[in-house]
Amino acid sequence: MKERERWDLERVGRRISERRKALGWSQEFLADRLGVSRQFIGALEAGRSWPSVPVALELARVLGTSVEALFDPQEAGDIVWGDPEVRPTVGTRVRFARVDERVVAYPLYGREAASSADGTISPAGRAEAFSPEWVEEADHTVAVAGCDPALTVLRDWVAQRGRPLRVATLPWGSEPSMQALIGGRVHVAGAHGTGNLLSLPGMQDEVGLPGGGLDTGSAEAHKGELRTPPPWARIRFAAWEVGIAVLPGNPRGVKGLEDLFRPELRWVRRPAGTAVARVYARVTEDRREPVTWTAAVAEDHLRVAEMIFFGMADAGLTTSFAAHVFGLSFVPVEVHHFDLLLPRPRLRDPLIGVLVDVLRSGGFRQQMEALWGYDVSHLGDMDEMEAGEERP
């Protein structure tokens, strides 16, 4: 066998192994799903064997990815697009992280647009590094997706303390963050709510593994498939109040979510897939009265408060912290817990170990305790979650 062919076999084997481990599956479990022996899976992952076409097709399906993603020798060398909702556009500046075997590119937009970048989207529509050294930075980067503004405190604290780690924060809603985690596009996903995070769309047993491929895949494509979800590790981050931000003194007399149906009130629209959008949906699903939404969509909690501050809206669900930043009045609705989730096998990654150490450090806790409205009494606590488990 030529050296290049041996290298390709080993690289493909590593991809299969990394994908299996990211799902929390044993070799025996994967073999059972495929109808092959555990020894065959071991040979595949060790680069000593190559599957037939039918087995390759079934292996890609079971792992929630594409045949090309697993077996194309060139595929892993490409930089994968990481944002589940924004398509790459020429000139967009990007940051890289290596998630398992793949270098993933994340666009810098919104509040991150002026941050330092690792590369850009070329005229050919591909993410390209400024130099090879910038791709190497991906090996020391942990990508954390989630909408809590305090994730930037985590990023900055790590950078200031000289840790052997770079944190890339991605301000996405709860559902896109979880789907990116399952799809292997981020290391850690943050989500918030009052109940079971694993009940988010895309996390239930019957939905399976949406977005599992490098560049394709959706929840729709996997509906009806019964899959065993991986064991998840949950790291506690913070709890805070979600409520209605209004102008100082509450001049419109907003009392609660029942005021959603007052036609004279303009409410800030949030993207589908955010925890706040689910709160809105819970209130409006059985009502026929219309809600007056803003034409513009607020991409994060701080933007909700900002729109109200500048008179673009009268009210909107956000966090008490965001309302405080802009000096707004706040009508509490419910308490949400923001937790960080990742596949339990990923805890063996040394970079994740550094991240956990930071979360549990006294200095970082002091930073978090100084944030208005943040309850960090369980910051850094870790446990395991299974699908269907309720949050204590």
Side-chain angles (χ1 to χ4, degrees):
M1 181 184 297
K2 294 180 180 180
E3 186 65 27
R4 173 68 187 184
E5 292 174 349
R6 181 181 297 108
W7 185 85
D8 287 343
L9 278 173
E10 292 175 353
R11 191 169 193 174
V12 167
R14 285 197 301 272
R15 289 184 218 165
I16 295 171
S17 176
E18 291 286 348
R19 185 66 183 157
R20 173 182 61 79
K21 292 176 181 177
L23 296 172
W25 293 353
S26 65
Q27 288 186 342
E28 291 84 353
F29 183 83
L30 178 56
D32 183 64
R33 296 295 302 272
L34 282 177
V36 299
S37 69
R38 185 200 62 77
Q39 289 77 12
F40 177 70
I41 297 299
L44 278 180
E45 294 185 354
R48 298 192 305 269
S49 184
W50 192 264
S52 65
V53 171
V55 172
L57 290 170
E58 180 64 9
L59 179 61
R61 188 193 71 80
V62 167
L63 292 177
T65 185
S66 67
V67 174
E68 293 78 10
L70 286 180
F71 298 103
D72 183 351
Q74 302 303 318
E75 187 73 22
D78 292 338
I79 296 174
V80 178
W81 186 248
D83 195 306
E85 298 189 327
V86 176
R87 302 304 301 171
T89 57
V90 175
T92 299
R93 300 162 68 252
V94 296
R95 187 168 292 147
F96 300 132
R98 186 179 297 279
V99 183
D100 300 326
E101 281 289 299
R102 305 176 295 179
V103 175
V104 185
Y106 310 102
L108 298 173
Y109 58 86
R111 302 178 194 278
E112 295 289 311
S115 301
S116 62
D118 301 337
T120 187
I121 302 299
S122 72
R126 299 171 63 86
E128 296 182 356
F130 292 137
S131 68
E133 289 76 17
W134 289 104
V135 177
E136 292 175 7
E137 279 293 313
D139 294 333
H140 309 288
T141 301
V142 170
V144 182
C147 63
D148 191 330
L151 290 178
T152 59
V153 179
L154 174 62
R155 179 196 66 194
D156 294 346
W157 181 256
V158 168
Q160 293 167 5
R161 310 312 290 181
R163 298 278 185 163
L165 165 71
R166 182 179 69 164
V167 175
T169 53
L170 309 165
W172 303 340
S174 294
E175 290 174 23
S177 296
M178 300 304 290
Q179 290 176 4
L181 177 66
I182 296 174
R185 291 181 169 90
V186 298
H187 298 91
V188 180
H192 66 95
T194 59
N196 177 22
L197 293 183
L198 299 189
S199 67
L200 290 173
M203 297 296 287
Q204 306 97 321
D205 294 6
E206 67 271 17
V207 173
L209 301 169
L214 285 177
D215 293 298
T216 60
S218 65
E220 196 66 33
H222 294 277
K223 277 187 176 178
E225 296 183 13
L226 294 176
R227 298 176 183 270
T228 301
W232 299 101
R234 173 179 60 176
I235 305 173
R236 305 296 185 90
F237 194 70
W240 23 255
E241 285 184 317
V242 169
I244 305 167
V246 294
L247 287 174
N250 195 3
R252 309 302 292 270
V254 175
K255 297 180 180 179
L257 288 176
E258 182 64 27
D259 290 320
L260 269 171
F261 307 101
R262 287 171 54 183
E264 75 278 12
L265 292 182
R266 298 165 300 163
W267 289 80
V268 179
R269 186 188 302 272
R270 291 301 310 279
T274 60
V276 165
R278 293 199 307 277
V279 176
Y280 282 137
R282 190 178 71 216
V283 177
T284 59
E285 61 182 350
D286 295 325
R287 300 288 293 267
R288 294 187 177 184
E289 303 96 316
V291 177
T292 305
W293 298 108
T294 57
V297 177
E299 68 274 11
D300 58 34
H301 297 297
L302 288 171
R303 179 59 177 161
V304 173
E306 187 176 42
M307 289 175 65
I308 296 167
F309 179 82
F310 285 109
M312 300 170 63
D314 301 302
L317 278 174
T318 186
T319 67
S320 59
F321 171 76
H324 175 76
V325 167
F326 285 89
L328 303 177
S329 293
F330 185 76
V331 181
V333 172
E334 58 192 30
V335 174
H336 281 205
H337 298 260
F338 184 90
D339 295 335
L340 303 175
L341 291 178
L342 67 161
R344 193 168 63 210
R346 193 165 282 162
L347 291 172
R348 295 192 290 267
D349 186 330
L351 291 180
I352 297 297
V354 174
L355 182 69
V356 173
D357 288 345
V358 169
L359 290 169
R360 293 174 171 174
S361 67
F364 181 68
R365 175 179 291 273
Q366 187 176 37
Q367 290 285 322
M368 293 290 290
E369 287 174 340
L371 295 175
W372 176 273
Y374 273 69
D375 175 0
V376 294
S377 55
H378 295 286
L379 175 64
D381 290 354
M382 187 186 307
D383 55 18
E384 298 173 7
M385 295 183 71
E386 303 292 342
E389 178 186 347
E390 289 298 322
R391 180 206 311 274

